[in-house]
Structures are given as C-alpha cells and as structure tokens.
Amino acid sequence: MNPRRKQRLTWVAILVIGVSVATGLMLYALSQSIDLFYTPSELVEGKGKDKQKPQVGQRMRVGGMVVEGSVERDRETLEVSFKITDIGPEVTVLYQGILPDLFREGQGIVAQGELIEPTVLKASEVLAKHDEEYMPPELAEQMKGIKHVNPNTVEKGEGQ
C-alpha cells in the first residue's frame, strides 16, 4: 500500500472513531436528562416486565387523577400538596407555585419533577389535562359548518 493511501485510511479511521465517541457521549448525556412517564401504579409497583421501580432523586413525570379531598394549600405561601391515583395506589405531589386554571379535584393532571420519597414527587411543573372535546378557537373558526362527531358516542355500524 502506498504512503498516500495509508495516510487517507488513517484519517478516515480517526474520523470514524471521533464521530463514534462524540455520539456515545451525547447519548450518555441525554440519558441523564430524560424524563420518564409513570402512572401511580407503575411508580409503586414497578414498570415493565421486570417491575423496575424508579430511584429516589430521579426526574420523571407522573400522571393520574387528583384524589377528591386531597388538595391541601398553605395559606401563607403558594405550597400545595395533593394526591393522584389511577386505579390503585396513590402518589403525593408537592408543588410550589400557581396551579393551572383547569386544575381541580377529580381532574387528570401530569406532574413533572423529582422523586423525593418512593411515593412522593416534588413537582416543578403541573399540567392539567382537558377533555378530548376541547378545540382551540382558531381551529373551531376554520371548521365552522363541519359536523364534529365525538368518537366515544359513535355506535358500531355508524359512520362507516
């Protein structure tokens, strides 16, 4: 092999190794900042086939329904604590700030934050879910005259 070809091959190998190392470092950095989504049942019982539970200190999102009568507000500060559930266990969410307008007991929410105890999440953000009938005003204006059918009320055989 002549020296020029050997030099090109060396540069190509260095480039491939450099890109591989950079990609590996980026994937490692991203894996540290990914927020996984859990339901209260998955948080308590574990997620997946191997029932892996999240670790205390892990960032995550937890979604469920706000338990009736569980909302407690501090009169002096903006601290709020409430419980969420899906079909089983309850998870306590601690939040400091102004809650969304759609937040209320019995409503679905998603809380993003850090797990400080196995069933306690210190939320940095709380998002209230709306029902599937919501439509932004701009879209409603564009769709005037088009009949909207709720997919939950369509019986089998209709609309086909």
Side-chain angles (χ1 to χ4, degrees):
M1 189 177 328
N2 70 26
R4 187 174 172 123
R5 186 174 282 172
K6 209 180 242 187
Q7 186 179 17
R8 283 184 188 162
L9 186 61
T10 303
W11 282 109
V12 168
I14 290 172
L15 181 66
V16 168
I17 291 171
V19 168
S20 299
V21 168
T23 303
L25 289 173
M26 284 183 354
L27 290 174
Y28 177 74
L30 286 174
S31 72
Q32 300 298 314
S33 63
I34 292 176
D35 292 332
L36 297 175
F37 180 82
Y38 287 85
T39 64
S41 293
E42 291 173 337
L43 186 68
V44 172
E45 299 165 3
K47 188 173 190 174
K49 294 177 186 175
D50 54 351
K51 297 294 184 189
Q52 186 175 6
K53 295 181 182 180
Q55 301 172 356
V56 172
Q58 182 176 337
R59 288 182 45 83
M60 67 179 56
R61 291 181 179 175
V62 179
M65 303 294 280
V66 179
V67 176
E68 298 282 339
S70 69
V71 178
E72 297 175 6
R73 299 174 191 264
D74 186 348
R75 297 206 184 271
E76 305 295 319
T77 64
L78 293 176
E79 291 181 16
V80 179
S81 102
F82 55 91
K83 295 183 183 206
I84 58 174
T85 187
D86 49 359
I87 55 171
E90 296 178 350
V91 173
T92 303
V93 177
L94 306 174
Y95 179 67
Q96 182 163 357
I98 299 172
L99 291 167
D101 292 338
L102 294 174
F103 179 90
R104 63 183 160 280
E105 295 176 353
Q107 179 73 28
I109 63 110
V110 175
Q112 177 177 328
E114 183 178 333
L115 193 64
I116 59 173
E117 291 179 28
T119 59
V120 178
L121 181 79
K122 183 168 178 69
S124 58
E125 183 177 21
V126 174
L127 304 170
K129 293 182 179 181
H130 52 73
D131 66 23
E132 65 278 355
E133 288 296 308
Y134 172 75
M135 188 177 303
E138 297 83 11
L139 184 58
E141 183 68 27
Q142 290 177 353
M143 294 182 65
K144 274 188 179 174
I146 299 174
K147 184 180 178 194
H148 174 69
V149 177
N150 183 346
N152 297 325
T153 60
V154 175
E155 298 197 6
K156 291 183 181 175
E158 285 185 21
Q160 293 180 355

